[in-house]
């Protein structure tokens, strides 16, 4: 049995659920009874006979403001979360914000956008952008963290609820340790892995320590964490927004594109385009009363 979960925080109506039932029937499925996870916010529709990919295609974008997650009913509560940081667990791209302190944000942000869309090699693009930061006072790292970095809505609830239910959470970022370590601690991750900006005296050296954490590192981390826990890949959840997240998203049991670039969204098992990160708690069957404070 598969389930299609409809999620629209405090805005989900019976009419939307009936529209979804009709769409499932329209691709040959037999929808079951609707079951509210959270009245007005999240509802499960079980279905049989139809191919899950066809149901997903029929439902995504069907109802304005509603996110859809289609998955097997068994094993929906995941035991491992591996997440990207920039524009996923936090609201900004840290390298762009650092560049702003040096007066070159527009130049760097354009490269960031192209890299996240998959138009540029991630590692080469990272090195090129970091080189532009050479000589910037290293003190801007702490200043940027304090002034610019904001936790994505729902991030703490997602991570802390999953951990309270026995899951492990790992932050794997192509961004920088100066941000990833405090962000991981604030949100509640078990572990963080990221890139280290090298310092020359009191300024940024314009280089990144090796090895660079990129797309393959993210995927390898997901696989190694699952193996060390002795769990199947079906029990894993990966979330990100950029092209360098695609390998881990494709490898995960549930790979999620969060307000993502088109190429990343196309590779994912589910797209979150409207809600915040608590959408993934509803997708795992957790009502609001069970979220960690």
């Amino acid at each position: 049995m598969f389930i299609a979960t409809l999620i629209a925080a405090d805005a989900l109506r019976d009419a939307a659920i009936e529209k979804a039932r009709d769409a499932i029937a329209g691709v040959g499925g037999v929808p079951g009874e609707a079951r509210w996870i959270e009245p007005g916010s999240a509802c499960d529709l079980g279905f049989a006979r139809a191919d899950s990919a066809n149901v997903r295609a029929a439902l995504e974008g069907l109802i304005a403001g509603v996110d859809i997650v289609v998955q097997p009913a068994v094993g929906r509560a995941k035991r491992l979360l591996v997440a990207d940081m920039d524009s996923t667990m936090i609201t900004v791209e840290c390298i762009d914000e650092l560049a702003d302190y040096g007066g070159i944000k527009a130049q760097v942000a354009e490269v960031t956008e192209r890299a996240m869309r998959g138009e540029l090699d991630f590692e080469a693009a990272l090195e090129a952008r970091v080189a532009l930061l050479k000589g910037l006072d290293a003190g801007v790292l702490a200043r940027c963290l304090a002034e610019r970095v904001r936790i994505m809505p729902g991030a703490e609830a997602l991570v802390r609820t999953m951990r309270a239910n026995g899951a492990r959470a790992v932050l794997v970022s192509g961004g920088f340790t100066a941000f990833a370590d405090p962000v991981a601690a604030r949100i509640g991750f078990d572990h963080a892995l990221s890139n280290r900006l090298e310092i020359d005296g009191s300024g940024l050296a314009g280089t990144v320590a090796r090895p660079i954490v990129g797309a393959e590192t993210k995927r390898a981390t997901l696989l190694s964490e699952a193996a060390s826990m002795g769990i199947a890949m079906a029990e894993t959840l990966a979330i990100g927004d950029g092209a360098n997240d695609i390998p881990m998203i494709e490898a995960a049991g549930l790979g999620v594109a969060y307000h993502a670039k088109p190429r990343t969204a196309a590779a994912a098992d589910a797209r979150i385009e409207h809600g915040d990160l608590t959408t993934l708690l509803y997708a795992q069957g957790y009502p609001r009363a069970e979220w960690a404070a």
Side-chain angles (χ1 to χ4, degrees), residues 11 92 126 178 185:
V92 297
L126 178 65

Side-chain angles (χ1 to χ4, degrees), residues 56 241 257 260-271 273:
R56 178 188 172 193
D241 72 302
K261 305 298 183 287
R263 183 176 167 190
T264 309
D269 299 308
R271 304 197 304 256
E273 298 183 338

